Amino acid sequence: MSEIQRPRRADAERNREAILDAAMRCLSVNPRASMAAIAAEAGVGRVTLYGHFSSRGEVIEAAFARAMTRAEGSLSGLDLDGEPFDALERLVLASWRIVDESRLVLQAAEEELGLDTVKRHHAESMERVRGLVRRGRRTGAFRKDLPADWLVTCYYAVLHGAAEEVRSGRLTQAGADQVVWRTIDALFRPPAKRAARGVDR
């Protein structure tokens, strides 16, 4: 590689990173931020922006993928050993804080990319939940009358639903973490144990 090519490549990579940083900032304020707004925030021209991303959807998917990579970095070191419900609570609260922080980026991804694409980017996180569900069912801590994959689906539906409720103002940020946890606790707990601890009353 020539000396000229190397600086050009480094400049291109810096521009791409600046665009993604700008997209994250813009979408975190306005999930419908335009390509022009993202380019202005990044300090690049539209030609440069479109040289890296051919559409708004591509920018949003790359920004959302970055958000998910950062989320995985936070969750990968989480202790999920010990009693399954204690581990589940730690996972729920840590996951909810991440979802809450990135809820407007999530909204942009859902609107622009669709739920199937958003779900695909959750594959690693979903496998973490699935593994905990399997362990909890083996020990009898989690309910077995519903399919494990359905519990995983409901887990994410609750988190994403709570993000929408906070966005709409129907749920406060201050109370959302306990609402999310109590909902998932009731969802995962075997029916007889829920009744015994008064959850059904």
Side-chain angles (χ1 to χ4, degrees):
M1 185 183 296
S2 71
E3 293 298 323
I4 294 175
Q5 286 174 317
R6 276 196 290 268
R8 284 180 178 171
R9 201 167 192 178
D11 287 344
E13 184 59 30
R14 279 194 295 271
N15 283 338
R16 188 178 190 280
E17 290 302 303
I19 291 166
L20 287 179
D21 287 341
M24 294 285 287
R25 290 193 297 272
C26 288
L27 295 171
S28 293
V29 175
N30 176 13
R32 296 183 177 87
S34 66
M35 291 286 271
I38 292 170
E41 178 69 21
V44 301
R46 288 172 64 86
V47 172
T48 299
L49 174 59
Y50 279 100
H52 289 279
F53 302 99
S54 63
S55 68
R56 184 172 179 274
E58 281 192 11
V59 177
I60 289 176
E61 183 160 10
F64 185 63
R66 172 185 277 195
M68 291 306 302
T69 297
R70 290 177 177 174
E72 278 304 303
S74 297
L75 295 176
S76 61
L78 194 65
D79 178 15
L80 296 181
D81 293 332
E83 201 281 322
F85 262 103
D86 290 342
L88 180 64
E89 183 174 13
R90 290 192 292 273
L91 181 59
V92 167
L93 295 181
S95 298
W96 165 246
R97 289 183 189 112
I98 291 169
V99 170
D100 184 39
E101 289 168 2
S102 60
R103 65 183 181 279
L104 294 182
V105 177
L106 172 63
Q107 179 182 343
E110 289 175 343
E111 291 177 353
E112 184 73 24
L113 308 175
L115 293 178
D116 287 344
T117 300
V118 169
K119 188 174 180 179
R120 188 173 70 246
H121 282 287
H122 280 82
E124 193 170 351
S125 293
M126 290 179 77
E127 189 55 40
R128 179 180 294 106
V129 178
R130 190 172 288 111
L132 180 55
V133 167
R134 289 173 182 150
R135 183 166 75 84
R137 284 159 68 97
R138 283 196 303 270
T139 65
F142 296 166
R143 67 190 307 160
K144 299 179 183 179
D145 60 322
L146 296 174
D149 283 344
W150 176 243
L151 292 178
V152 175
T153 297
C154 290
Y155 176 98
Y156 279 98
V158 170
L159 264 63
H160 288 201
E164 173 58 31
E165 291 297 290
V166 172
R167 286 197 299 261
S168 69
R170 291 187 295 266
L171 186 63
T172 66
Q173 281 183 278
D177 55 350
Q178 285 306 307
V179 170
V180 168
W181 166 239
R182 285 175 64 84
T183 302
I184 292 177
D185 177 287
L187 174 66
F188 278 55
R189 198 171 292 275
K193 292 184 179 180
R194 289 206 313 274
R197 70 195 296 266
V199 174
D200 290 339
R201 291 196 291 273

